[in-house]
Each structure stands twice: as structure tokens, then as C-alpha cells.
Amino acid sequence: MTRLDFHSVISIFIENQKNADISQIDFMYCIFATFINDESTDFVFDNGLVCHWIKGKMRISPKIVNYYITQSHQSAMHNDMEHEVFPFISDPAFVALEIKQLLTTDSSVSAFEKDRLLNFLSEDSVSAYAAFIAEALIFGMSRSFVKAGSKSTTASPLIEDMILTTNIPKPVETFTGRETELETLNQLLQENSLVFLSGIPGIGKSEVAKAYLKQYKKNYTNILYLEYTNSLYEMIADLDFADDTDSLSEKERFRKHFRFLKTLKADSLIVIDNFNTTASEETLLNQVCNLKCHLLITTRNHFNIGTELIIESNKELALHILQQNIKATTLDILQKYSNEVELLLETVSFHTMSAAMIGRLLSYKNILPTELNRHLQENVLLPDNQTRISMNKDNRAVKSEYQDIMQNLLRYNYLTPAQQQTLSITALAPEDGFPLRCLYNWYSDCTNEINDLEELGLLAVKHDSVTLNPYIRKLVNAGKHLAISNCDLFWRNLQAKCQDMDNETTLFALQIIDTALRFIQKDNKQLWISVVRTALECNHRLHRYRSYSNLLNEYEYLCLDKNIRADDDQYLLFHFKAIEAADIHANINKAIQWEEQAITTAGENGTSHILNFSTLYLDAGRYYHIQGNLKKALDYTQKSTDMLLETKMQYSPNGISSLIQYARYLFECNQFNDAIRIYQNCLNIINATWGDSCLTYGYIAQNLAAILASMKQPTASLRLFNKAISILEHLLGSGHEDVNFCKKQIIELQNTSKPALLVTPPIPVQITA
């Protein structure tokens, strides 16, 4: 039997060439004209290589093969065949007939592929001949290479009479979509002997594999469907051969069965479903992958061998699956609550199996889409739902609660404790990932665990960051596996980052705490209340008010426990409530009430934190100022300032903030001389603390310059205006509105009667307990 490949097709060309003077290389340029003329390719034919290709001694270059796999490039070869090659062929119709005869007699070509190629000869025309010959040539050079003259056969023995366990499971009745994936999978299996069908748990890998077998069964002489348990050795030994005897040991059965599998050729396909293990744990993997037949392996893992097709989710497919799983009597829900149903699917990241279960849940009519979505957003495991759902997973019928089905799907308990903790910590990060540098510095050097989890398909390392599939992340968090006591150093490091406002990772640390608020076991409440307290203050400084409110609720709950709260927590709770009232709800009267209560409580119970006490007075002064009570604002700010001056803490951020606010209120009360004195004191402190080129120095210089101008001291005022402009231009840019305002004030220096002060950017103050 002559095999249809590049060598045999080119041989027919050469036998039917006209008496034209054309070399082998020139003939290759005609056949692959589009490839050679494509500016994106960089290829030169070598006379020796071309000779080996034509004689069938070497496989044609993969660059050429990969180029013509693309549909548009295949169409281009049709054109090249007709206009570049046929002028050198004596009878194109006869060449097409010869290649057709070669195709129909080649038993190693599947019936599906024969039908596909012969369809190009549906009409008797030159263009039809060109299309058929081009497609036959592309198929011949892209299939597995067999050296010309080799006596090996590609036909496999039939297995139906030898193996009793050859039943192929059917996809579930509700299987839908995936047409693109099935077509791609077929193309990959035509071109590769080993294909891994991978994806996250519950995405539909097994169903795609079964649907492929149903649709493309005729492509193969034999199909063997095997389900991986925990060992390739046991899986192969447990095959039920017709001639097996009870006297055979397990080892003898394995050897006998594996020896037969080695006889299967390229016309056979073995499917191994649920191969959810690592290459290091499965010692037989390389031997199985070296079988001569085709292998399709479904797995949630990633391997460095073979070809991989990743099965993913999408909105349209998820909606279609939900529709397939909802009872006909409840289809009206999809129309009545169409927007809510889309939100439901978005909540579960359009996960295939979850979409099916949501359809089943909605069919029971005991829960509406709006209510179900609220529960899923709280926890995607639905721990409070007791409805038992019937599902078909991995050829087994399952009837259980939503929570149990999803937890079993993730197989979290099969991980080692170190892997579990690493996965749970990385799941706390936002969807864009956990930078490895931060993970190693804050938690531990968990390189081995990260590598293992990546191989298991539970996370990915991209651009020096660990990322999880969005739905896997939700499932891990929803399980609430992580306890504070198991990684207290991690939480202390997060707390330290929240205290460091200049650190680039502060916001990232706060995002982790946001997630932890809902999904960790808070078994070390003293450490947790300390983290919450620090995060509250940091969120306030960064104006993250949604997170602030959530943390405040948690803090208030924790403060009810007298065994864990510190003495300062009693007044700090009122202080944080005052911030919420003022900055979130814009209720200044309520803010004043809370801040006064904080001051009273701190005064009655005492506090060793002078900075905290001064901050209470400072904020109370700010609230009174907003209320319009300037006298009270000045009084409270003066108390804050005096307290820090008495304790020599004026050089702290709290001290500088108090002095700046106090000076501004003195200015508003027309106490210009006192305001000038405080502002000059501020400049001296800022210079000693941060230097005379920082932003705060520039704004205070403008404030003082404006007041001096109004008091007819132009020389001192001009000097300070120039200093302010120099700093602000350098830090904010020459076109900034505050820079232009200062320049305008210099022009009007002699006419200034009522000074205008720029608002100084806030200086972060510290709250501790």
C-alpha cells in the first residue's frame, strides 16, 4: 500500500511534468509561492533538504506545515496550484485522478478525512483540481511522518473482541455548544498524537471529550475510553481482556495489557479522563504518552509535553446551559428576570457546571434569581441552601447540595496543608494576582507549593505574579479554610504595610484585608482587632470609604468583647464613627457628637497615647469649623496644639497638622500676628523634619506670604512668594493652578488688603492603640 504523503504526491507531479527545464528548488518555489512571498516568513530552500523531502527521507520543514494550517493560507495554495504549478504539468486532471486513487486506497486515512478531501472534486474544473490537489498535499505533509520504504504498518488490531470494557460514554443530554472546541480538538488530533484537554474543575472537559467521540467516531478504527482513578498502572491492569485468567497476577495483567496497547497504531484513539495528577507523581506517564496511537487526556493540570487545548467559559454558553437545565414549566423566569439571570451567571464567572446547577435550582421555584444572586455574592458555595440537586459528573449521577458538589469539585482536601494554606492566601489577593515578591516577603518562601499548585492547574504564574481563575478564587475564599492563627506573621506584615503610607504596596495590603474580612477564620481576635484598627485609619487617609464602613462594622462588633479590646478601643470607636458621619454621610452635627463622646471617654478612662488625644481635639476643631462655630474650632485646635507642645511632640505629623490648622483659624479670626508667629514656627518645624523643599513647606510659605502682604510687608512677602513658587513649580509643574495663583498674588502685591490662602494638602496623622 502506498501512503498518501508529501513524497507520494510530489512523485506524481514529477512523473507528469512537461518537458520544461525547471529544477527541484524552482518547483518548490512554485508550490509554496505564497509562503515564500509572505514578508513575515524568512525561509530559503536548501537543495539537499528539498531532495530529501521529495524522496521521502525527511519530513518537510515545520515552518511550511504550520503556515499552511491556516485557512486563508490553504486558499492561497489553491490559487498557487492553478496558476504557478499547473503550467508545468502536462495533464492536471490526470494528476488529480492519480492522487484520488492514492487517497481512496490508503487505509490509514480516516473515512471522515477522505470525504472531506473528495468534496473538493465535486465539479469537473481546473479550479476544483487545484483545490483538491492542494488540500491533499497539505494533508500529506501535515500528518505524522513515515520514512519512504518503511515496512511498518499503520493499521491497528481491532479491540472489540479482545477488551470487554470498551463502552464509550455519551455526553449528558443537556450538552450544548462547544462546536468551535470540537472542531479545534479534531484538528489537533489530526496533527498530534498527544492532546491534553485542560481547564478548571467543572468547566466541561469530560463532556467535550465524550461529545468529540460521538461526533468523530468514524475517524478511528479503535477507541478506548478509560477513567483515571489514582494510578495508570492500576488503570491498565484493571482492563478486562477476554482471555485474562484468574491465575494472572496484577503485575502479569499489566504487562500483558500494556504490551497490547503498544500494538495500537495511529488509527486508534485512547481517551484518559480526569487525569488530575502531576507528572512527578505518575511515573508511567512518559511510557503511556509514547504509545503509537493517538491519546486524548482530560485534566485540570498543565504538562510540558504534548499539545494543550484549554476549555474555557463564556457568557453565551453559560446562558445556553442554564436554559438546557431549567424545567419547561419555569422557562418564564428567564424572560421575567433576564437581567438578574445574567448577573447570576456573572457572579459565578460563567462557570459551566454552576450554570447547570443554577438552572436546576431555579426550576424548583423556591428561590427567585434576585435572592439567589444575593446569596451567591455572599458566598458562592451557597452554604445555607439545603436543596439537593441532581447532576451527572464523570459518568456518575450525583444528588447533593450545591455546597457539597462544588467543594468536592475543587478537591481542596486532597492538597497538602502547606499547599492549602498557600492557595488560600493567594486567593485573598485581587483578581489581577499576588506579586511573588510580596507573597514571599509577607508570608514565606513557598516556591515549591506555588510550583505544585501551578502544575495542578489551580493557579498560574504570570509576570512575577500569582493569579487564580476568578471562579477558583471565589470557591477557595468561600470555603473559609484560612485561619489567622496559622499564619499570624502574615497578618502582622499586612498591618505594618498599612502603617507605612509611603509604601507602594499599602493599597494592595488593604485589598487583601477587604477580602479577609468575609472569608477567614478569625480565631486570633486580639491580632485581628489590631489589624482592623490599623486598616480603618489607613482607609480613612486614602479615602476608601466603602471599605472603611465595612471595617467599622467589624471593629464595633469586636469592641463588644472586653477580653480582646484595648483601653483605647473604647474612645477610638467613637472617633472612627465621627469620621464616618463627617466624611461619608456629611452629617457634621453627628460627627461632633461622636467626637465629643470620644474626648469624654478618653478623658475619663485615661490614655497613654497623647497623639491620639490631640487628634481627637484636632478633628473636633475641624468639625466645628465646618459647622461655622469658629470660636469652638479655635479653642479645640489650640488644645490639640498645646498638648503636643507640652509633650515636645510638635515635630510629629500630628503636631505639624495641629499647628497648620491652628494658624489658619487664628487668621480667620483676624489674629494676624498670632497666625504669623505660628506659621513661622511651622516653617521651622517642617524644615527641620522634611527640609525646605517639600510640598507642605511651599504651601505654608504662600499662606505666610499672603498674610504679610496684607500687613504691608512686601519685602518679606515677596521672598516667601518666590520660595513658594519655586517649590510648587518643581513638584506640581509650572502650569498648575496653585502656581499661577501665587504669581498673580505677586503682581497684586501692593494692592492686597484681604489675603487668600491656599489649602495645604493634609498630612497623615497616626492613630494607635
Side-chain angles (χ1 to χ4, degrees):
M1 180 192 74
T2 304
R3 188 171 184 268
L4 189 150
D5 55 17
F6 182 82
H7 156 68
S8 58
V9 173
I10 294 300
S11 296
I12 294 174
F13 278 153
I14 293 173
E15 291 171 3
N16 290 274
Q17 273 185 342
K18 293 179 180 178
N19 294 326
D21 186 19
I22 183 171
S23 67
Q24 291 180 345
I25 286 185
D26 289 336
F27 197 53
M28 290 299 106
Y29 276 105
C30 293
I31 294 173
F32 303 121
T34 299
F35 171 77
I36 292 299
N37 294 325
D38 193 329
E39 293 181 357
S40 64
T41 61
D42 183 15
F43 195 91
V44 177
F45 287 116
D46 177 82
N47 191 55
L49 280 177
V50 169
C51 185
H52 281 92
W53 295 346
I54 292 174
K55 292 181 178 180
K57 300 302 180 182
M58 288 182 64
R59 183 178 182 176
I60 193 169
S61 170
K63 287 186 177 180
I64 299 176
V65 176
N66 291 334
Y67 184 84
Y68 283 105
I69 287 175
T70 306
Q71 183 67 42
S72 60
H73 296 160
Q74 293 171 6
S75 300
M77 180 177 267
H78 298 181
N79 184 66
D80 292 340
M81 191 63 63
E82 182 176 351
H83 297 97
E84 302 290 338
V85 178
F86 279 5
F88 297 98
I89 301 299
S90 57
D91 188 351
F94 181 78
V95 170
L97 184 62
E98 287 277 292
I99 296 175
K100 178 183 177 182
Q101 180 69 21
L102 180 62
L103 171 66
T104 54
T105 58
D106 188 350
S107 60
S108 66
V109 180
S110 68
F112 171 85
E113 194 62 35
K114 288 180 180 178
D115 291 341
R116 184 185 74 83
L117 292 172
L118 291 173
N119 279 335
F120 289 96
L121 286 175
S122 57
E123 62 181 38
D124 188 14
S125 65
V126 173
S127 59
Y129 302 150
F132 169 70
I133 295 172
E135 289 292 332
L137 185 63
I138 293 171
F139 169 75
M141 68 186 186
S142 61
R143 66 189 307 201
S144 57
F145 176 73
V146 176
K147 196 172 184 180
S150 174
K151 295 182 180 181
S152 61
T153 177
T154 58
S156 295
L158 292 173
I159 66 173
E160 291 182 354
D161 295 330
M162 302 186 65
I163 304 178
L164 303 179
T165 52
T166 57
N167 292 332
I168 302 173
K170 297 179 180 179
V172 293
E173 293 181 0
T174 55
F175 181 85
T176 184
R178 301 295 192 188
E179 290 82 5
T180 301
E181 288 87 343
L182 291 172
E183 185 178 339
T184 303
L185 179 58
N186 182 56
Q187 184 176 355
L188 289 175
L189 281 169
Q190 291 291 324
E191 301 162 2
N192 305 275
S193 61
L194 173 61
V195 176
F196 287 98
L197 197 61
S198 66
I200 66 172
I203 205 65
K205 303 179 293 294
S206 299
E207 298 307 316
V208 170
K210 288 181 279 188
Y212 172 78
L213 298 182
K214 180 181 178 180
Q215 184 169 334
Y216 294 96
K217 183 177 180 180
K218 292 182 179 179
N219 284 15
Y220 305 97
T221 303
N222 300 299
I223 295 178
L224 187 59
Y225 187 95
L226 304 173
E227 188 161 356
Y228 183 79
T229 50
N230 284 310
S231 163
L232 287 173
Y233 179 88
E234 293 177 3
M235 183 188 75
I236 295 171
D238 289 343
L239 285 172
D240 195 3
F241 276 59
D243 59 348
D244 282 344
T245 62
D246 295 338
S247 62
L248 287 175
S249 66
E250 183 181 60
K251 187 174 183 179
E252 289 170 332
R253 285 170 63 92
F254 170 78
R255 287 180 175 175
K256 175 176 179 266
H257 297 171
F258 194 62
R259 188 163 52 246
F260 172 78
L261 296 181
K262 287 182 177 180
T263 66
L264 299 179
K265 300 292 191 286
D267 64 331
S268 296
L269 172 65
I270 296 178
V271 177
I272 302 177
D273 196 13
N274 292 315
F275 189 70
N276 300 320
T277 187
T278 61
S280 59
E281 293 175 343
E282 185 49 83
T283 56
L284 275 178
L285 178 60
N286 285 333
Q287 295 183 53
V288 171
C289 291
N290 285 329
L291 292 173
K292 297 176 182 177
C293 61
H294 283 84
L295 279 167
L296 173 60
I297 301 177
T298 72
T299 179
R300 64 181 63 178
N301 301 9
H302 298 290
F303 298 92
N304 295 324
I305 53 177
T307 301
E308 182 180 46
L309 175 60
I310 300 177
I311 301 297
E312 297 179 318
S313 56
N314 63 72
K315 178 180 177 179
E316 291 74 19
L317 178 64
L319 182 59
H320 204 179
I321 288 172
L322 186 148
Q323 293 169 342
Q324 292 292 313
N325 282 272
I326 198 168
K327 292 181 180 178
T329 55
T330 53
L331 280 174
D332 60 311
I333 290 178
L334 298 180
Q335 295 179 342
K336 187 176 180 180
Y337 297 96
S338 58
N339 293 334
E340 289 80 358
V341 167
E342 285 195 18
L343 288 174
L344 268 173
L345 295 175
E346 185 177 346
T347 299
V348 296
S349 303
F350 309 112
H351 183 256
T352 307
M353 189 171 180
S354 297
M357 288 197 290
I358 287 172
R360 302 286 176 94
L361 279 174
L362 294 177
S363 295
Y364 295 117
K365 280 194 171 180
N366 62 351
I367 189 169
L368 293 174
T370 49
E371 184 183 359
L372 179 57
N373 192 42
R374 180 173 60 82
H375 287 307
L376 282 170
Q377 287 180 342
E378 288 287 327
N379 186 320
V380 292
L381 291 178
L382 288 181
D384 298 326
N385 191 288
Q386 305 300 314
T387 305
R388 295 172 67 83
I389 307 169
S390 298
M391 294 293 297
N392 190 298
K393 179 73 174 84
D394 299 331
N395 310 313
R396 288 182 291 274
V398 177
K399 188 171 185 179
S400 187
E401 296 169 9
Y402 189 108
Q403 176 180 208
D404 295 334
I405 293 174
M406 296 311 298
Q407 285 188 326
N408 291 334
L409 189 68
L410 189 59
R411 293 168 61 92
Y412 183 91
N413 293 332
Y414 287 84
L415 303 175
T416 67
Q419 290 171 345
Q420 289 177 354
Q421 187 157 298
T422 300
L423 183 62
S424 295
I425 285 178
T426 54
L428 293 177
E431 284 191 14
D432 52 359
F434 205 130
L436 284 171
R437 173 174 56 86
C438 295
L439 181 62
Y440 294 157
N441 289 338
W442 300 354
Y443 172 50
S444 71
D445 185 357
C446 49
T447 305
N448 292 335
E449 287 74 19
I450 292 294
N451 290 338
D452 291 340
L453 292 168
E454 184 177 22
E455 191 174 357
L456 288 168
L458 292 174
L459 53 77
V461 179
K462 297 178 181 178
H463 308 299
D464 296 325
S465 187
V466 180
T467 59
L468 279 74
N469 173 278
Y471 196 52
I472 292 292
R473 174 178 171 267
K474 290 179 180 179
L475 288 176
V476 173
N477 283 327
K480 298 184 178 180
H481 306 289
L482 189 64
I484 291 179
S485 58
N486 291 337
C487 48
D488 59 345
L489 180 60
F490 174 70
W491 299 105
R492 297 186 192 282
N493 284 331
L494 281 182
Q495 185 179 6
K497 295 304 172 187
C498 292
Q499 292 170 334
D500 186 2
M501 275 296 294
D502 294 329
N503 196 289
E504 59 183 10
T505 57
T506 298
L507 180 59
F508 177 67
L510 288 174
Q511 291 173 323
I512 290 177
I513 294 172
D514 288 344
T515 307
L517 184 63
R518 297 172 55 197
F519 297 121
I520 63 167
Q521 300 174 35
K522 302 156 188 174
D523 54 349
N524 185 342
K525 290 187 176 180
Q526 284 189 326
L527 175 55
W528 179 239
I529 194 174
S530 180
V531 171
V532 169
R533 185 192 307 119
T534 304
L536 263 172
E537 181 63 24
C538 190
N539 274 302
H540 165 51
R541 297 198 303 267
L542 295 177
H543 309 294
R544 299 179 76 246
Y545 290 128
R546 178 182 295 181
S547 296
Y548 184 93
S549 294
N550 292 334
L551 283 167
L552 183 56
N553 291 334
E554 179 79 355
Y555 185 57
E556 185 170 13
Y557 167 75
L558 293 170
C559 285
L560 295 175
D561 191 340
K562 296 180 181 179
N563 296 321
I564 64 168
R565 73 184 185 196
D567 292 338
D568 293 294
D569 284 318
Q570 298 178 61
Y571 69 81
L572 286 179
L573 176 61
F574 301 136
H575 170 67
F576 289 135
K577 281 178 169 288
I579 292 173
E580 181 185 46
D583 295 348
I584 300 177
H585 303 306
N587 189 338
I588 295 302
N589 292 333
K590 192 66 177 177
I592 290 174
Q593 291 177 18
W594 283 122
E595 205 67 69
E596 289 282 15
Q597 192 169 351
I599 292 171
T600 300
T601 304
E604 290 175 350
N605 298 339
T607 175
S608 59
H609 296 291
I610 298 300
L611 292 176
N612 286 3
F613 215 164
S614 72
T615 300
L616 303 184
Y617 277 113
L618 184 66
D619 280 2
R622 180 168 60 88
Y623 300 147
Y624 277 118
H625 182 262
I626 295 172
Q627 190 188 54
N629 191 337
L630 191 55
K631 184 177 182 302
K632 276 269 191 179
L634 188 61
D635 179 45
Y636 274 65
T637 306
Q638 183 177 5
K639 287 180 179 180
S640 173
T641 302
D642 291 345
M643 191 178 297
L644 294 172
L645 289 172
E646 289 174 6
T647 54
K648 308 298 182 184
M649 293 185 180
Q650 66 269 32
Y651 288 90
S652 66
N654 300 56
I656 296 172
S657 294
S658 293
L659 287 170
I660 292 172
Q661 184 168 302
Y662 184 41
R664 194 175 191 92
Y665 293 169
L666 286 170
F667 160 74
E668 291 183 16
C669 292
N670 296 321
Q671 299 181 32
F672 289 170
N673 289 327
D674 289 337
I676 290 172
R677 176 176 53 80
I678 298 297
Y679 270 131
Q680 287 177 333
N681 192 19
C682 286
L683 286 179
N684 293 333
I685 293 174
I686 294 168
N687 182 34
T689 307
W690 296 313
D692 66 349
S693 58
C694 67
L695 191 62
T696 304
Y697 193 101
Y699 276 97
I700 299 306
Q702 183 277 335
N703 285 188
L704 184 54
I707 299 174
L708 291 173
S710 69
M711 297 182 71
K712 308 304 180 184
Q713 299 183 32
T715 303
S717 176
L718 183 60
R719 177 177 58 81
L720 287 168
F721 270 133
N722 286 330
K723 179 65 174 177
I725 291 172
S726 173
I727 294 172
L728 298 182
E729 271 190 331
H730 177 69
L731 297 176
L732 303 178
S734 58
H736 194 274
E737 58 182 356
D738 290 346
V739 175
N740 294 331
F741 183 77
C742 289
K743 291 179 179 179
K744 182 179 178 182
Q745 284 186 313
I746 290 179
I747 295 172
E748 300 173 353
L749 189 61
Q750 300 297 329
N751 301 321
T752 300
S753 57
K754 188 174 181 180
L757 310 187
L758 290 174
V759 178
T760 306
I763 301 171
V765 297
Q766 296 290 331
I767 284 288
T768 57

